[in-house]
Coordinates of all heavy atoms in Angstrom, one line a residue:
M1 N 0.8 -1.2 0.0 CA 0.0 0.0 0.0 C 0.9 1.2 0.0 O 1.5 1.6 1.0 CB -0.9 0.0 1.2 CG -1.9 1.0 1.3 SD -3.2 0.7 2.5 CE -2.3 0.9 4.0
A2 N 1.0 1.9 -1.1 CA 1.8 3.1 -1.3 C 1.0 4.3 -1.2 O -0.2 4.4 -1.6 CB 2.6 3.0 -2.6
A3 N 1.6 5.3 -0.6 CA 0.9 6.6 -0.5 C 1.4 7.6 -1.5 O 2.6 7.6 -1.9 CB 1.2 7.2 0.9
T4 N 0.5 8.4 -2.1 CA 0.9 9.4 -3.0 C 0.5 10.8 -2.4 O -0.5 10.9 -1.7 CB 0.2 9.3 -4.4 OG1 -1.2 9.3 -4.2 CG2 0.6 8.0 -5.0
V5 N 1.3 11.8 -2.7 CA 1.1 13.1 -2.2 C 0.8 14.0 -3.3 O 1.6 14.2 -4.2 CB 2.2 13.6 -1.3 CG1 1.9 15.0 -0.8 CG2 2.5 12.7 -0.2
N6 N -0.4 14.6 -3.3 CA -0.7 15.7 -4.3 C -1.0 17.0 -3.5 O -1.1 16.9 -2.3 CB -2.0 15.3 -5.1 CG -1.8 14.0 -5.9 OD1 -0.8 13.8 -6.5 ND2 -2.8 13.2 -6.0
Y7 N -1.1 18.0 -4.2 CA -1.4 19.3 -3.6 C -2.5 20.0 -4.3 O -2.7 19.9 -5.5 CB -0.1 20.2 -3.7 CG 1.0 19.7 -2.9 CD1 2.0 18.9 -3.4 CD2 1.1 20.1 -1.5 CE1 3.0 18.4 -2.6 CE2 2.2 19.6 -0.7 CZ 3.1 18.8 -1.3 OH 4.2 18.3 -0.5
I8 N -3.4 20.6 -3.4 CA -4.5 21.4 -3.9 C -4.1 22.9 -3.5 O -3.7 23.1 -2.4 CB -5.8 21.0 -3.2 CG1 -6.1 19.6 -3.4 CG2 -6.9 21.9 -3.7 CD1 -7.3 19.0 -2.6
E9 N -4.3 23.8 -4.4 CA -4.1 25.2 -4.0 C -5.4 25.9 -3.8 O -6.3 25.8 -4.6 CB -3.3 25.9 -5.2 CG -2.8 27.2 -4.7 CD -1.8 27.8 -5.7 OE1 -1.1 27.1 -6.3 OE2 -1.7 29.1 -5.7
S10 N -5.5 26.6 -2.6 CA -6.6 27.3 -2.2 C -6.2 28.6 -1.7 O -5.5 28.7 -0.7 CB -7.4 26.5 -1.2 OG -8.6 27.2 -0.7
N11 N -6.7 29.7 -2.3 CA -6.3 31.1 -1.8 C -4.8 31.3 -1.7 O -4.3 31.9 -0.7 CB -7.0 31.4 -0.5 CG -8.5 31.5 -0.6 OD1 -9.0 31.8 -1.7 ND2 -9.2 31.1 0.4
G12 N -4.1 30.7 -2.7 CA -2.6 30.9 -2.7 C -1.9 30.0 -1.7 O -0.7 30.1 -1.5
V13 N -2.6 29.1 -1.0 CA -1.9 28.2 -0.1 C -2.0 26.7 -0.6 O -3.0 26.3 -1.0 CB -2.7 28.2 1.3 CG1 -2.1 27.2 2.2 CG2 -2.7 29.6 1.9
K14 N -0.8 26.1 -0.7 CA -0.8 24.7 -1.1 C -1.1 23.8 0.0 O -0.5 23.8 1.0 CB 0.6 24.4 -1.7 CG 0.9 25.1 -3.0 CD 2.3 24.8 -3.5 CE 2.4 23.4 -4.1 NZ 3.7 23.1 -4.7
V15 N -2.2 23.0 -0.2 CA -2.6 22.1 0.9 C -2.3 20.6 0.4 O -2.7 20.2 -0.7 CB -4.2 22.2 1.0 CG1 -4.7 21.2 2.1 CG2 -4.6 23.6 1.4
P16 N -1.5 19.9 1.2 CA -1.1 18.5 0.8 C -2.3 17.6 0.9 O -3.1 17.7 1.9 CB -0.1 18.1 1.8 CG -0.3 19.0 3.0 CD -0.9 20.3 2.5
L17 N -2.5 16.7 0.0 CA -3.5 15.7 -0.1 C -2.8 14.4 -0.2 O -2.2 14.1 -1.2 CB -4.4 15.9 -1.3 CG -5.5 15.0 -1.5 CD1 -6.5 15.0 -0.4 CD2 -6.2 15.3 -2.8
I18 N -2.9 13.6 0.9 CA -2.2 12.3 1.0 C -3.2 11.2 0.7 O -4.2 11.1 1.4 CB -1.5 12.1 2.3 CG1 -0.5 13.2 2.6 CG2 -0.8 10.7 2.4 CD1 -0.1 13.3 4.1
I19 N -2.9 10.4 -0.3 CA -3.8 9.3 -0.7 C -3.2 8.0 -0.6 O -2.1 7.7 -1.1 CB -4.3 9.5 -2.2 CG1 -5.0 10.9 -2.4 CG2 -5.2 8.4 -2.6 CD1 -5.2 11.3 -3.8
E20 N -3.8 7.1 0.2 CA -3.4 5.7 0.3 C -4.6 4.8 -0.2 O -5.7 5.1 0.3 CB -3.1 5.4 1.7 CG -1.9 6.0 2.3 CD -1.5 5.6 3.7 OE1 -1.8 4.4 4.0 OE2 -0.9 6.4 4.4
Q21 N -4.3 3.9 -1.0 CA -5.4 3.1 -1.5 C -5.1 1.6 -1.3 O -4.0 1.1 -1.5 CB -5.6 3.3 -3.0 CG -6.8 2.7 -3.6 CD -7.1 3.1 -5.0 OE1 -6.5 4.1 -5.5 NE2 -7.9 2.4 -5.7
D22 N -6.1 0.9 -0.8 CA -6.1 -0.5 -0.6 C -7.4 -1.1 -1.0 O -8.4 -0.8 -0.4 CB -5.7 -0.8 0.8 CG -5.5 -2.3 1.1 OD1 -5.7 -3.1 0.2 OD2 -5.2 -2.7 2.2
S23 N -7.5 -1.9 -2.0 CA -8.8 -2.4 -2.5 C -9.2 -3.8 -1.9 O -10.1 -4.4 -2.5 CB -8.8 -2.4 -4.0 OG -7.7 -3.3 -4.5
R24 N -8.5 -4.2 -0.9 CA -8.9 -5.5 -0.3 C -10.2 -5.6 0.4 O -10.9 -6.6 0.4 CB -7.8 -6.0 0.6 CG -6.5 -6.3 -0.1 CD -5.4 -6.8 0.8 NE -4.9 -5.6 1.5 CZ -3.9 -5.6 2.3 NH1 -3.2 -6.7 2.6 NH2 -3.5 -4.5 2.9
L25 N -10.6 -4.4 1.0 CA -11.9 -4.4 1.7 C -12.8 -3.3 1.0 O -12.2 -2.3 0.6 CB -11.7 -4.0 3.1 CG -11.0 -5.1 4.0 CD1 -10.7 -4.6 5.4 CD2 -11.8 -6.4 4.0
P26 N -14.1 -3.4 1.0 CA -15.0 -2.4 0.4 C -15.3 -1.3 1.3 O -16.4 -1.0 1.6 CB -16.2 -3.2 0.1 CG -16.3 -4.3 1.2 CD -14.8 -4.6 1.4
L27 N -14.2 -0.6 1.9 CA -14.4 0.4 2.8 C -13.6 1.7 2.4 O -12.7 1.6 1.6 CB -13.8 0.0 4.2 CG -14.3 -1.3 4.8 CD1 -13.5 -1.6 6.0 CD2 -15.8 -1.1 5.2
F28 N -14.1 2.8 2.9 CA -13.3 4.1 2.7 C -13.1 4.7 4.0 O -13.9 4.5 5.0 CB -14.0 5.0 1.7 CG -15.2 5.7 2.3 CD1 -15.1 6.9 2.9 CD2 -16.5 5.1 2.2 CE1 -16.2 7.5 3.5 CE2 -17.6 5.7 2.7 CZ -17.5 6.9 3.4
S29 N -12.1 5.5 4.1 CA -11.8 6.3 5.4 C -11.1 7.6 5.0 O -10.1 7.5 4.2 CB -10.9 5.4 6.3 OG -10.6 6.2 7.4
M30 N -11.6 8.7 5.5 CA -11.0 10.0 5.1 C -10.8 10.7 6.4 O -11.6 10.6 7.4 CB -11.9 10.8 4.3 CG -12.3 10.2 2.9 SD -13.5 11.1 2.1 CE -12.8 12.7 1.9
Q31 N -9.7 11.5 6.5 CA -9.4 12.3 7.6 C -9.0 13.7 7.1 O -8.3 13.8 6.1 CB -8.2 11.8 8.4 CG -8.5 10.7 9.3 CD -7.3 10.5 10.3 OE1 -6.2 10.8 10.0 NE2 -7.6 9.8 11.4
F32 N -9.6 14.7 7.7 CA -9.2 16.1 7.4 C -8.5 16.6 8.7 O -9.2 16.7 9.7 CB -10.5 17.0 7.1 CG -11.2 16.5 5.9 CD1 -12.3 15.6 6.1 CD2 -10.9 16.9 4.6 CE1 -13.0 15.1 4.9 CE2 -11.6 16.5 3.5 CZ -12.6 15.6 3.7
V33 N -7.2 16.9 8.6 CA -6.5 17.3 9.8 C -6.1 18.7 9.6 O -5.4 19.1 8.6 CB -5.2 16.4 9.9 CG1 -4.4 16.8 11.2 CG2 -5.6 14.9 10.0
F34 N -6.5 19.6 10.5 CA -6.2 21.0 10.5 C -5.2 21.2 11.6 O -5.5 21.1 12.8 CB -7.5 21.8 10.8 CG -8.5 21.6 9.7 CD1 -9.5 20.6 9.9 CD2 -8.5 22.3 8.6 CE1 -10.5 20.4 9.0 CE2 -9.5 22.1 7.6 CZ -10.5 21.2 7.8
K35 N -3.9 21.6 11.2 CA -2.9 21.8 12.2 C -3.0 23.2 12.8 O -3.6 24.1 12.1 CB -1.5 21.6 11.5 CG -1.3 20.2 11.1 CD 0.0 19.8 10.3 CE 1.0 20.7 10.1 NZ 2.2 20.1 9.4
N36 N -2.5 23.4 13.9 CA -2.5 24.7 14.7 C -3.9 25.2 14.8 O -4.2 26.4 14.7 CB -1.7 25.8 13.9 CG -0.2 25.4 13.9 OD1 0.3 24.8 14.8 ND2 0.4 25.7 12.7
S37 N -4.8 24.3 15.1 CA -6.2 24.7 15.3 C -6.9 24.0 16.5 O -8.1 24.0 16.6 CB -7.0 24.4 14.0 OG -6.9 23.0 13.7
G38 N -6.1 23.3 17.3 CA -6.7 22.7 18.5 C -6.8 23.6 19.6 O -6.9 24.8 19.5
S39 N -6.9 23.1 20.8 CA -7.1 23.9 22.0 C -6.0 24.9 22.3 O -6.2 25.9 22.9 CB -7.3 23.0 23.2 OG -6.2 22.2 23.5
I40 N -4.8 24.6 21.8 CA -3.7 25.5 22.1 C -3.9 26.8 21.3 O -3.3 27.8 21.6 CB -2.3 24.8 21.8 CG1 -1.2 25.5 22.5 CG2 -2.1 24.8 20.3 CD1 0.1 24.7 22.5
A41 N -4.7 26.7 20.2 CA -4.9 27.9 19.3 C -6.1 28.7 19.7 O -6.5 29.6 19.0 CB -5.0 27.5 17.9
D42 N -6.8 28.2 20.8 CA -8.1 28.9 21.2 C -7.8 30.4 21.7 O -8.7 31.2 21.6 CB -8.7 28.2 22.4 CG -9.5 26.9 21.9 OD1 -9.6 26.7 20.7 OD2 -9.9 26.1 22.7
G43 N -6.6 30.6 22.1 CA -6.3 32.0 22.6 C -7.1 32.4 23.8 O -7.3 31.6 24.7
N44 N -7.8 33.5 23.7 CA -8.6 34.0 24.8 C -10.0 33.4 24.7 O -10.9 33.8 25.5 CB -8.6 35.5 24.9 CG -9.2 36.1 23.7 OD1 -9.5 35.5 22.7 ND2 -9.3 37.5 23.7
L45 N -10.3 32.5 23.8 CA -11.6 31.9 23.7 C -11.5 30.4 24.1 O -11.7 29.5 23.3 CB -12.1 31.9 22.2 CG -12.3 33.3 21.7 CD1 -12.6 33.3 20.2 CD2 -13.4 34.1 22.4
S46 N -11.2 30.2 25.4 CA -11.0 28.8 25.9 C -12.1 27.9 25.6 O -13.3 28.3 25.8 CB -10.7 28.9 27.4 OG -9.6 29.6 27.7
G47 N -11.8 26.7 25.1 CA -12.9 25.7 24.8 C -13.5 25.8 23.4 O -14.4 25.0 23.1
L48 N -13.1 26.7 22.6 CA -13.7 26.9 21.3 C -13.5 25.7 20.4 O -14.5 25.2 19.8 CB -13.1 28.1 20.6 CG -13.7 28.5 19.2 CD1 -15.2 28.7 19.3 CD2 -13.0 29.6 18.6
A49 N -12.3 25.1 20.4 CA -12.1 23.9 19.5 C -12.9 22.7 20.0 O -13.5 22.0 19.2 CB -10.6 23.6 19.5
R50 N -12.9 22.5 21.3 CA -13.7 21.4 21.9 C -15.2 21.6 21.6 O -15.9 20.7 21.3 CB -13.4 21.3 23.4 CG -14.1 20.1 23.9 CD -13.5 19.7 25.2 NE -12.2 19.2 25.0 CZ -11.4 18.8 25.9 NH1 -11.8 18.7 27.1 NH2 -10.1 18.4 25.6
L51 N -15.7 22.8 21.8 CA -17.1 23.1 21.5 C -17.4 22.9 20.1 O -18.5 22.3 19.8 CB -17.4 24.6 21.9 CG -18.8 25.1 21.5 CD1 -19.9 24.4 22.3 CD2 -18.9 26.6 21.6
S52 N -16.5 23.3 19.2 CA -16.8 23.0 17.7 C -16.8 21.5 17.4 O -17.7 21.1 16.6 CB -15.6 23.7 16.9 OG -15.6 25.1 17.1
A53 N -16.0 20.8 18.0 CA -16.0 19.3 17.8 C -17.3 18.7 18.4 O -17.9 17.8 17.7 CB -14.8 18.7 18.5
K54 N -17.7 19.2 19.5 CA -18.9 18.6 20.1 C -20.2 19.0 19.3 O -21.1 18.2 19.1 CB -19.1 19.2 21.5 CG -18.1 18.7 22.5 CD -18.6 17.7 23.4 CE -17.6 17.3 24.5 NZ -17.6 15.9 24.8
M55 N -20.2 20.2 18.7 CA -21.3 20.6 17.8 C -21.4 19.7 16.6 O -22.5 19.5 16.1 CB -21.1 22.1 17.4 CG -21.5 23.0 18.6 SD -21.3 24.7 18.1 CE -22.4 24.9 16.8
M56 N -20.3 19.2 16.1 CA -20.3 18.4 14.9 C -21.0 17.0 15.2 O -21.4 16.3 14.3 CB -18.9 18.1 14.4 CG -18.2 19.3 13.9 SD -18.8 19.9 12.3 CE -18.3 18.6 11.2
G57 N -21.1 16.7 16.5 CA -21.8 15.5 16.9 C -23.3 15.7 17.2 O -23.9 14.7 17.7
E58 N -23.8 16.8 16.9 CA -25.2 17.1 17.3 C -26.2 17.1 16.1 O -27.3 17.5 16.2 CB -25.3 18.5 18.0 CG -24.6 18.6 19.3 CD -25.2 17.6 20.3 OE1 -26.5 17.4 20.4 OE2 -24.4 16.9 21.0
G59 N -25.7 16.6 15.0 CA -26.6 16.4 13.8 C -26.9 17.7 13.1 O -26.2 18.7 13.3
T60 N -27.9 17.7 12.3 CA -28.3 18.9 11.5 C -29.5 19.5 12.1 O -30.2 18.9 12.9 CB -28.5 18.5 10.0 OG1 -29.7 17.6 10.0 CG2 -27.3 17.9 9.4
K61 N -29.8 20.7 11.6 CA -31.0 21.5 12.1 C -32.3 20.7 11.7 O -33.2 20.6 12.5 CB -31.0 22.9 11.5 CG -32.1 23.8 12.0 CD -31.9 25.2 11.5 CE -33.0 26.1 12.1 NZ -32.9 27.4 11.6
S62 N -32.3 20.2 10.5 CA -33.5 19.5 10.1 C -33.8 18.1 10.7 O -34.9 17.8 11.0 CB -33.6 19.4 8.5 OG -32.5 18.6 8.1
L63 N -32.7 17.4 10.9 CA -32.8 16.0 11.5 C -32.6 15.9 13.0 O -33.1 15.0 13.6 CB -31.9 15.1 10.8 CG -32.1 14.7 9.3 CD1 -31.0 13.9 8.8 CD2 -33.5 14.0 9.2
G64 N -31.8 16.8 13.5 CA -31.5 16.7 14.9 C -30.5 15.6 15.2 O -30.0 15.0 14.2
S65 N -30.1 15.5 16.4 CA -29.0 14.5 16.7 C -29.4 13.0 16.5 O -28.7 12.2 16.0 CB -28.4 14.8 18.0 OG -29.3 14.6 19.0
S66 N -30.6 12.7 17.1 CA -31.0 11.3 17.1 C -31.3 10.8 15.7 O -30.8 9.7 15.2 CB -32.2 11.1 17.9 OG -31.9 11.4 19.3
A67 N -32.1 11.5 14.9 CA -32.5 11.1 13.5 C -31.2 11.1 12.6 O -31.1 10.2 11.8 CB -33.5 12.0 13.0
F68 N -30.3 12.1 12.8 CA -29.1 12.1 12.0 C -28.3 10.9 12.3 O -27.8 10.2 11.4 CB -28.3 13.4 12.3 CG -27.2 13.6 11.4 CD1 -27.4 14.0 10.1 CD2 -25.9 13.4 11.8 CE1 -26.3 14.3 9.2 CE2 -24.8 13.6 11.0 CZ -25.0 14.0 9.7
A69 N -28.1 10.5 13.6 CA -27.3 9.4 14.0 C -27.9 8.1 13.4 O -27.2 7.2 13.0 CB -27.2 9.3 15.5
E70 N -29.3 8.0 13.4 CA -30.0 6.8 12.9 C -29.7 6.7 11.4 O -29.5 5.6 10.9 CB -31.5 6.9 13.2 CG -31.8 6.6 14.7 CD -33.3 6.8 15.0 OE1 -34.1 6.8 14.0 OE2 -33.6 6.9 16.2
E71 N -29.8 7.8 10.7 CA -29.5 7.8 9.2 C -28.1 7.3 9.0 O -27.9 6.4 8.1 CB -29.6 9.2 8.7 CG -31.1 9.7 8.5 CD -31.8 9.0 7.4 OE1 -31.2 8.8 6.3 OE2 -33.0 8.7 7.6
L72 N -27.1 7.8 9.7 CA -25.7 7.3 9.5 C -25.6 5.8 9.8 O -25.0 5.1 9.1 CB -24.8 8.1 10.4 CG -24.6 9.6 10.1 CD1 -23.7 10.3 11.0 CD2 -24.2 9.9 8.6
E73 N -26.2 5.4 11.0 CA -26.1 4.0 11.4 C -26.7 3.1 10.4 O -26.2 2.0 10.1 CB -26.7 3.9 12.8 CG -26.5 2.5 13.4 CD -27.1 2.4 14.8 OE1 -27.1 3.4 15.5 OE2 -27.5 1.3 15.1
S74 N -27.9 3.5 9.8 CA -28.6 2.6 8.9 C -27.8 2.4 7.6 O -28.0 1.5 6.9 CB -29.9 3.2 8.5 OG -29.8 4.3 7.8
R75 N -26.8 3.3 7.3 CA -26.0 3.2 6.1 C -24.6 2.8 6.4 O -23.7 2.9 5.5 CB -26.0 4.5 5.3 CG -27.4 4.9 4.8 CD -27.3 6.3 4.2 NE -28.6 6.7 3.7 CZ -29.1 6.4 2.5 NH1 -28.4 5.7 1.7 NH2 -30.3 6.9 2.1
A76 N -24.3 2.5 7.7 CA -22.9 2.1 8.1 C -21.9 3.2 7.8 O -20.8 3.0 7.3 CB -22.5 0.8 7.5
I77 N -22.3 4.5 8.1 CA -21.4 5.6 7.9 C -21.0 6.2 9.3 O -21.8 6.2 10.2 CB -22.1 6.7 7.1 CG1 -22.5 6.2 5.8 CG2 -21.3 8.0 7.1 CD1 -23.4 7.2 5.0
H78 N -19.7 6.6 9.4 CA -19.3 7.1 10.7 C -18.7 8.5 10.4 O -17.8 8.7 9.6 CB -18.2 6.2 11.3 CG -17.5 6.8 12.5 ND1 -18.1 6.8 13.8 CD2 -16.3 7.4 12.7 CE1 -17.3 7.4 14.6 NE2 -16.2 7.8 14.0
I79 N -19.1 9.5 11.2 CA -18.6 10.9 11.1 C -18.2 11.3 12.5 O -19.0 11.1 13.4 CB -19.6 11.8 10.5 CG1 -20.0 11.4 9.1 CG2 -19.0 13.3 10.5 CD1 -21.1 12.3 8.4
S80 N -17.0 11.8 12.7 CA -16.6 12.3 14.0 C -15.7 13.5 13.9 O -15.1 13.7 12.8 CB -16.0 11.2 14.8 OG -14.7 10.9 14.3
A81 N -15.6 14.3 14.9 CA -14.7 15.4 15.0 C -14.0 15.4 16.4 O -14.6 15.0 17.4 CB -15.5 16.7 14.9
T82 N -12.7 15.6 16.4 CA -11.9 15.6 17.6 C -11.1 16.9 17.6 O -10.4 17.2 16.7 CB -11.0 14.4 17.6 OG1 -11.8 13.2 17.3 CG2 -10.3 14.2 18.9
A83 N -11.1 17.5 18.8 CA -10.2 18.6 19.0 C -9.1 18.2 19.9 O -9.3 17.9 21.1 CB -11.0 19.8 19.6
G84 N -7.9 18.2 19.4 CA -6.7 17.8 20.2 C -6.0 19.1 20.7 O -6.6 20.2 20.7
T85 N -4.8 19.0 21.2 CA -4.1 20.1 21.6 C -3.6 21.0 20.5 O -3.8 22.2 20.5 CB -2.8 19.7 22.5 OG1 -3.3 18.8 23.5 CG2 -2.1 20.9 23.0
E86 N -3.1 20.4 19.4 CA -2.6 21.1 18.3 C -3.4 20.9 17.0 O -3.1 21.6 16.0 CB -1.1 20.8 18.1 CG -0.2 21.1 19.2 CD 1.2 20.8 19.0 OE1 1.5 20.3 17.9 OE2 2.0 21.0 19.9
T87 N -4.3 20.0 16.9 CA -5.0 19.7 15.7 C -6.5 19.6 15.9 O -7.0 19.3 17.0 CB -4.5 18.4 15.1 OG1 -4.8 17.3 16.0 CG2 -3.1 18.4 14.7
F88 N -7.2 19.8 14.9 CA -8.7 19.6 14.8 C -8.9 18.6 13.7 O -8.4 18.8 12.5 CB -9.4 20.9 14.5 CG -10.9 20.8 14.6 CD1 -11.5 20.9 15.8 CD2 -11.7 20.6 13.4 CE1 -12.9 20.8 15.9 CE2 -13.0 20.5 13.5 CZ -13.7 20.6 14.7
V89 N -9.5 17.5 14.0 CA -9.6 16.4 13.0 C -11.1 16.0 12.7 O -11.8 15.8 13.7 CB -8.9 15.1 13.5 CG1 -9.0 14.0 12.5 CG2 -7.4 15.4 13.8
L90 N -11.4 16.0 11.5 CA -12.7 15.5 11.0 C -12.5 14.1 10.3 O -11.6 14.0 9.5 CB -13.4 16.5 10.0 CG -13.6 17.9 10.5 CD1 -14.0 18.8 9.4 CD2 -14.7 17.9 11.6
E91 N -13.3 13.1 10.7 CA -13.2 11.8 10.2 C -14.5 11.3 9.5 O -15.5 11.6 10.1 CB -12.7 10.8 11.2 CG -11.4 11.1 11.8 CD -11.0 10.0 12.8 OE1 -10.8 8.9 12.4 OE2 -10.9 10.3 14.0
L92 N -14.3 10.7 8.4 CA -15.5 10.1 7.7 C -15.1 8.8 7.2 O -14.1 8.6 6.6 CB -15.8 11.1 6.5 CG -16.9 10.7 5.5 CD1 -18.3 10.7 6.3 CD2 -17.0 11.7 4.4
S93 N -16.0 7.8 7.5 CA -15.7 6.4 7.0 C -17.0 5.6 6.8 O -18.0 6.0 7.3 CB -14.8 5.7 8.0 OG -15.5 5.5 9.3
G94 N -16.9 4.6 6.0 CA -18.0 3.7 5.8 C -17.8 2.7 4.7 O -16.6 2.5 4.3
L95 N -18.9 2.2 4.1 CA -18.8 1.3 3.0 C -18.6 2.1 1.7 O -19.2 3.1 1.6 CB -20.0 0.4 2.9 CG -20.3 -0.5 4.1 CD1 -21.7 -1.1 4.0 CD2 -19.3 -1.6 4.2
K96 N -17.8 1.5 0.8 CA -17.5 2.3 -0.5 C -18.8 2.6 -1.2 O -19.0 3.6 -1.8 CB -16.6 1.5 -1.4 CG -15.2 1.5 -1.0 CD -14.3 0.7 -1.9 CE -12.9 0.7 -1.5 NZ -12.0 -0.1 -2.4
E97 N -19.8 1.7 -1.1 CA -21.1 1.9 -1.9 C -21.9 3.1 -1.3 O -22.7 3.6 -1.9 CB -21.9 0.6 -1.9 CG -22.3 0.2 -0.5 CD -22.9 -1.2 -0.4 OE1 -22.3 -2.1 -1.1 OE2 -23.9 -1.4 0.3
E98 N -21.5 3.5 -0.1 CA -22.2 4.6 0.6 C -21.4 5.9 0.5 O -21.8 6.9 1.2 CB -22.6 4.3 2.0 CG -23.5 3.1 2.2 CD -24.9 3.5 1.7 OE1 -25.3 4.6 1.5 OE2 -25.7 2.5 1.5
F99 N -20.4 5.9 -0.3 CA -19.5 7.1 -0.3 C -20.2 8.4 -0.7 O -20.1 9.4 0.0 CB -18.3 6.9 -1.2 CG -17.4 8.1 -1.3 CD1 -16.5 8.3 -0.2 CD2 -17.4 8.9 -2.4 CE1 -15.6 9.3 -0.2 CE2 -16.5 10.0 -2.4 CZ -15.6 10.2 -1.3
S100 N -21.0 8.4 -1.7 CA -21.7 9.6 -2.1 C -22.7 10.0 -1.1 O -22.9 11.2 -0.8 CB -22.4 9.4 -3.5 OG -23.3 8.4 -3.5
S101 N -23.4 9.1 -0.4 CA -24.3 9.4 0.6 C -23.6 10.0 1.8 O -24.0 11.0 2.4 CB -25.1 8.2 1.1 OG -25.9 7.7 0.1
A102 N -22.4 9.4 2.1 CA -21.6 9.9 3.3 C -21.2 11.3 3.0 O -21.2 12.2 3.9 CB -20.4 9.0 3.5
M103 N -20.7 11.6 1.8 CA -20.3 13.0 1.5 C -21.5 14.0 1.6 O -21.3 15.1 2.0 CB -19.7 13.1 0.1 CG -18.3 12.4 0.0 SD -17.1 13.0 1.1 CE -16.7 14.5 0.4
G104 N -22.7 13.5 1.2 CA -23.9 14.4 1.4 C -24.2 14.7 2.8 O -24.4 15.8 3.2
Y105 N -24.1 13.7 3.7 CA -24.3 13.9 5.1 C -23.2 14.8 5.7 O -23.5 15.6 6.6 CB -24.4 12.5 5.9 CG -25.7 11.8 5.6 CD1 -25.6 10.5 5.0 CD2 -26.9 12.3 6.0 CE1 -26.8 9.8 4.8 CE2 -28.1 11.6 5.8 CZ -28.0 10.4 5.2 OH -29.2 9.7 5.0
F106 N -22.0 14.5 5.3 CA -20.9 15.3 5.8 C -21.1 16.8 5.4 O -20.9 17.7 6.2 CB -19.6 14.8 5.2 CG -18.3 15.3 5.8 CD1 -18.0 15.1 7.1 CD2 -17.5 16.2 5.1 CE1 -16.9 15.6 7.7 CE2 -16.4 16.7 5.6 CZ -16.0 16.4 6.9
G107 N -21.5 17.0 4.2 CA -21.8 18.4 3.8 C -22.9 19.0 4.5 O -22.8 20.2 4.9
A108 N -23.9 18.3 4.8 CA -25.1 18.8 5.5 C -24.7 19.1 7.0 O -25.2 20.1 7.6 CB -26.2 17.8 5.5
L109 N -23.8 18.3 7.5 CA -23.4 18.5 8.9 C -22.6 19.8 9.0 O -22.7 20.6 9.9 CB -22.5 17.4 9.4 CG -22.1 17.3 10.8 CD1 -23.4 17.3 11.7 CD2 -21.3 16.1 11.1

């Protein structure tokens, strides 16, 4: 399983995109890692990163937390957010056949 590194440019900033592919299982897993955005970067707004991560677990305005969680569970999709000391991480995983649905739920969230 070899990793390839590509770059996406956004607003003049090159963002690394690391891709690892393994086709042995019908699963996908994605992580969005934001460096310098965890609790250490909260500054005078203590708890902002942790609050943001917790809010990502509360579902959407239209579905709420319970119905949103049931939708994800019925499709074997997992979405989570974690605020560390130096990073903020968004994770998305599930069955490959549910990838487009997962991206839709991720976008709605």
